[in-house]
Amino acid sequence: MREAGLEARLDEVSSVFGRVPNSPGPWLLLGSHTDTVPAGGRLDGAYGVIAGLEVLRALHEAGHPAAPRVEVVSFADEEGVGAGGGLKGSRHLVESAHSAELSGYLELHIEQGPRLEAEGLDLAAVEGIVGIDHWEVVIQGAANHAGTTPMPARRDAGRAAGRVMHRLNGLVSASDPEMVGNIGALQLLPGAPNVIPGQARLVVELRALQAASLQTAAEALHSEVMAAAEEARCHANLELRTSVPPVQMDPRMIAAVEAACRASGRGWRRLTSGAGHDAGKLATRIPAAMIFIPSRGGVSHSPDEYSTDEHLVMGAQVLMAAALNCLAIPSI
């Protein structure tokens, strides 16, 4: 940032901010994060920071009147690899006095999914970031000898868990065709090959852009868990462990991004982000929007994360156009 002629500073949680020296604000904030997950890729987050820095550098070097109205940020600990659950920098910002000095936030990111590539498109205007609910399910049966207990006499918690896992896809799709669900954590106790599972513990993750869809899926999940437990002669309990509400991007800023996408002459569409981003936290306090470019194979959080140089450059160009469109909005 200093090499680009900007005034750079750290805030209390070590997010890095840069802007034209002596610029009065308010500022349109551009950026993302530079931390990554273990064995992660080089683009998730870092691309948005460097592209934002390039936009501001180019505006500043050209003496563009928009330059003093733009600030760039690299947020601290977005991924949550350390303590605190992630979004550390953006959570701190929305609670700080500096948030009142910002007119909006614009974030460029790789898609982290396969939709743009599969549809042969180059850009997306992100309309919202999904809400995420984590339900802990505990199914209680009875542990017993797996070799001597007849099948009809079993109270097999693993059998009930298997039914829930098998039917989750249909349950989620029936609630909202656009939402997703996952069971990535499962424990069968006592965990021996020759013992019928007396208890099954699993975590069900539900993601959707509409709060109503999350509620509908949660109700369907409850019914399915209870039916599966009854069928296996077990008992079950569900508890909502964490809940992050869905966030809608600002309509005016979405329109500004869409105008920039149209002007690029490239194929584009609206998309919902299935992953969390700093933009989701900022949107609770100030107008916010996001731009996606394709990521090959939809791969992210991996060393195989890749987007072409053409898409990386194009994304930065569209970020600049969208930023200028946002700054032209009277209240931004």
Side-chain angles (χ1 to χ4, degrees):
M1 290 178 182
R2 288 173 178 152
E3 289 175 357
L6 305 179
E7 177 182 271
R9 68 177 180 89
L10 292 169
D11 72 2
E12 294 82 356
V13 297
S14 295
S15 294
V16 189
F17 294 81
R19 60 192 184 216
V20 173
N22 302 313
S23 56
W27 297 277
L28 173 67
L29 190 63
L30 309 179
S32 191
H33 62 97
T34 46
D35 67 310
T36 187
V37 296
R42 68 186 182 94
L43 296 175
D44 173 12
Y47 168 52
V49 174
I50 299 304
L53 178 55
E54 174 62 10
V55 167
L56 182 50
R57 182 201 62 78
L59 292 172
H60 184 39
E61 289 185 357
H64 196 286
R69 301 177 59 197
V70 175
E71 186 175 45
V72 63
V73 64
S74 172
F75 282 117
D77 193 20
E78 188 269 354
E79 294 289 3
V81 175
L87 301 176
K88 181 178 181 180
S90 49
R91 282 191 288 113
H92 176 78
L93 179 58
V94 298
E95 296 169 358
S96 73
H98 184 44
S99 63
E101 301 173 316
L102 301 174
S103 59
Y105 175 67
L106 192 55
E107 182 171 356
L108 173 64
H109 211 282
I110 62 170
E111 182 194 352
Q112 300 179 276
R115 294 168 294 182
L116 289 177
E117 183 184 56
E119 296 175 23
L121 300 175
D122 299 308
L123 293 158
V126 178
E127 59 186 348
I129 298 175
V130 296
I132 307 172
D133 287 349
H134 284 159
W135 289 90
E136 183 180 59
V137 178
V138 179
I139 301 170
Q140 190 66 49
N144 210 336
H145 197 297
T148 61
T149 308
M151 300 300 284
R154 300 183 180 208
R155 297 175 55 206
D156 187 344
R159 173 189 171 191
R163 170 175 156 169
V164 174
M165 296 182 72
H166 174 66
R167 298 193 179 181
L168 180 68
N169 186 72
L171 178 158
V172 166
S173 297
S175 301
D176 179 346
E178 297 297 320
M179 77 179 297
V180 298
N182 186 57
I183 298 175
L186 171 68
Q187 185 180 26
L188 301 180
L189 299 174
N194 59 348
V195 179
I196 298 164
Q199 187 182 83
R201 306 179 73 93
L202 53 153
V203 178
V204 182
E205 180 183 84
L206 301 174
R207 299 189 181 217
L209 183 59
Q210 304 299 331
S213 298
L214 291 171
Q215 179 64 31
T216 298
E219 293 170 358
L221 173 66
H222 185 274
S223 296
E224 176 58 38
V225 168
M226 293 305 167
E230 182 179 5
E231 181 182 64
R233 301 170 62 240
C234 298
H235 302 284
N237 183 64
L238 290 82
E239 186 171 346
L240 183 62
R241 287 299 188 186
T242 62
S243 181
V244 178
V247 178
Q248 302 287 342
M249 298 292 100
D250 183 81
R252 300 163 301 167
M253 292 189 65
I254 293 175
V257 169
E258 289 177 334
C261 291
R262 281 194 297 271
S264 74
R266 310 298 290 260
W268 67 279
R269 60 166 291 186
R270 283 196 178 201
L271 273 183
T272 296
S273 174
H277 296 281
D278 290 306
K281 181 56 65 175
L282 268 292
T284 65
R285 181 72 171 84
I286 61 175
M290 292 190 73
I291 303 165
F292 280 168
I293 64 165
S295 47
R296 186 174 64 185
V299 175
S300 185
H301 284 191
S302 163
D304 295 328
E305 187 178 85
Y306 178 81
S307 295
T308 66
D309 287 351
E310 178 188 7
H311 280 132
L312 295 173
V313 173
M314 176 202 62
Q317 292 169 338
V318 171
L319 176 65
M320 175 179 281
L324 294 175
N325 289 345
C326 288
L327 290 170
I329 300 171
S331 59
I332 293 291

